[in-house]
Amino acid sequence: MNLSLQSHLRAWRKQVGLSQEQLGNKMDVAHTTVGRWERGEVPLTSDQFEHLARIFEVSPAELLVAPPDAASVRVLHETYEIVRNMSPETLRHWLEIGKKLSS
């Protein structure tokens, strides 16, 4: 299992106020499996990973960081979506404005 996910899975579970048993019930696995995920003893399948993200109401990318950092991931994703559709000229202009605002 990804070390980031392993280290943050318990924090996300606590963030939404679920016990291991409650999360296990939502995931259709035993609570001991949840504990083993949290300790990195058992890997998650991609389907399980996506199901966890839906339960915690976050994107899979947000699930890879600690709950307090999830807002930054959302902002980065939004920024990426804006930037990827810009022309090179607009992007340069946008970056110049960003640099001036951050000074």
Side-chain angles (χ1 to χ4, degrees):
M1 181 184 310
N2 180 299
L3 289 178
S4 294
L5 177 59
Q6 173 188 331
S7 63
H8 300 306
L9 182 55
R10 182 172 191 258
W12 277 109
R13 179 176 58 78
K14 296 283 187 177
Q15 174 84 14
V16 299
L18 295 175
S19 67
Q20 287 183 346
E21 183 174 0
Q22 290 168 321
L23 181 56
N25 289 340
K26 289 180 176 286
M27 294 290 297
D28 200 25
V29 299
H31 73 279
T32 54
T33 300
V34 175
R36 293 176 74 199
W37 288 338
E38 291 179 356
R39 291 187 301 277
E41 297 172 359
V42 176
L44 287 162
T45 66
S46 60
D47 286 342
Q48 290 169 327
F49 179 76
E50 290 175 9
H51 191 189
L52 281 171
R54 286 191 304 274
I55 289 170
F56 299 147
E57 297 180 358
V58 296
S59 70
E62 290 170 284
L63 191 55
L64 292 173
V65 299
D69 297 328
S72 295
V73 172
R74 275 191 297 278
V75 169
L76 287 172
H77 180 73
E78 289 175 31
T79 303
Y80 170 75
E81 288 300 319
I82 292 168
V83 167
R84 76 181 189 139
N85 294 312
M86 288 183 178
S87 69
E89 181 180 310
T90 301
L91 179 58
R92 279 192 300 279
H93 181 70
W94 189 70
L95 287 172
E96 288 173 18
I97 292 170
K99 287 176 185 177
K100 288 178 184 177
L101 290 174
S102 66
S103 298

